[in-house]
Amino acid sequence: VQLQASGGGLVQTGGSLRLSCAVSGRFFSISFVGWYRQAPGKQRELVASITRGGITSYADSVKGRFTISREQGSNTVYLQMNSLKPEDSSVYYCHANLLVLESTTPVESDYWGQGTQVTVSS
């Protein structure tokens, strides 16, 4: 299983970026996908998440500005980030909880993608 995160970059305050997290490999289903971010010297924080059923959740700091989504039938999760602020600058990581087969037993396992840098200039 691989998680490929992409879409980061440099943007001015007030600008937008869309991050993508593509899940590939052998798995039965995606239970949960979350976007996290970690700035230098700070703890990693959950920014947004979406469940298999489409229930979304957001950190208070991004509510109304960020939208997490997943196209039906797709294994790619997007994070649309609007009205970006300098404090949104961070490395963003996607995380997925997947149902996979271990030997003959289906189990839930956690996977992380590589980070993608988001920098918002003031």
Side-chain angles (χ1 to χ4, degrees):
V1 173
Q2 284 190 327
L3 273 61
Q4 182 70 41
S6 61
L10 173 64
V11 66
Q12 291 186 333
T13 296
S16 299
L17 285 172
R18 189 176 80 157
L19 305 183
S20 300
C21 177
V23 184
S24 62
R26 298 172 69 87
F27 60 93
F28 289 116
S29 62
I30 299 174
S31 301
F32 170 97
V33 174
W35 279 100
Y36 292 73
R37 65 186 180 189
Q38 186 169 23
K42 294 188 176 182
Q43 287 189 331
R44 189 172 295 189
E45 63 170 337
L46 178 62
V47 174
S49 64
I50 186 167
T51 68
R52 182 180 180 184
I55 298 173
T56 59
S57 180
Y58 299 92
D60 288 342
S61 58
V62 306
K63 279 181 182 176
R65 300 187 298 121
F66 290 11
T67 303
I68 189 170
S69 64
R70 177 185 173 190
E71 292 178 358
Q72 194 170 11
S74 169
N75 292 328
T76 300
V77 173
Y78 302 97
L79 183 67
Q80 178 67 44
M81 306 186 296
N82 299 328
S83 302
L84 283 162
K85 306 174 182 180
E87 51 263 43
D88 294 318
S89 297
S90 191
V91 179
Y92 284 71
Y93 300 89
C94 66
H95 159 262
N97 181 267
L98 309 177
L99 190 64
V100 299
L101 195 63
E102 285 191 4
S103 184
T104 59
T105 304
V107 297
E108 289 190 337
S109 292
D110 292 308
Y111 298 86
W112 288 89
Q114 87 290 2
T116 183
Q117 177 71 48
V118 171
T119 303
V120 184
S121 63
S122 56

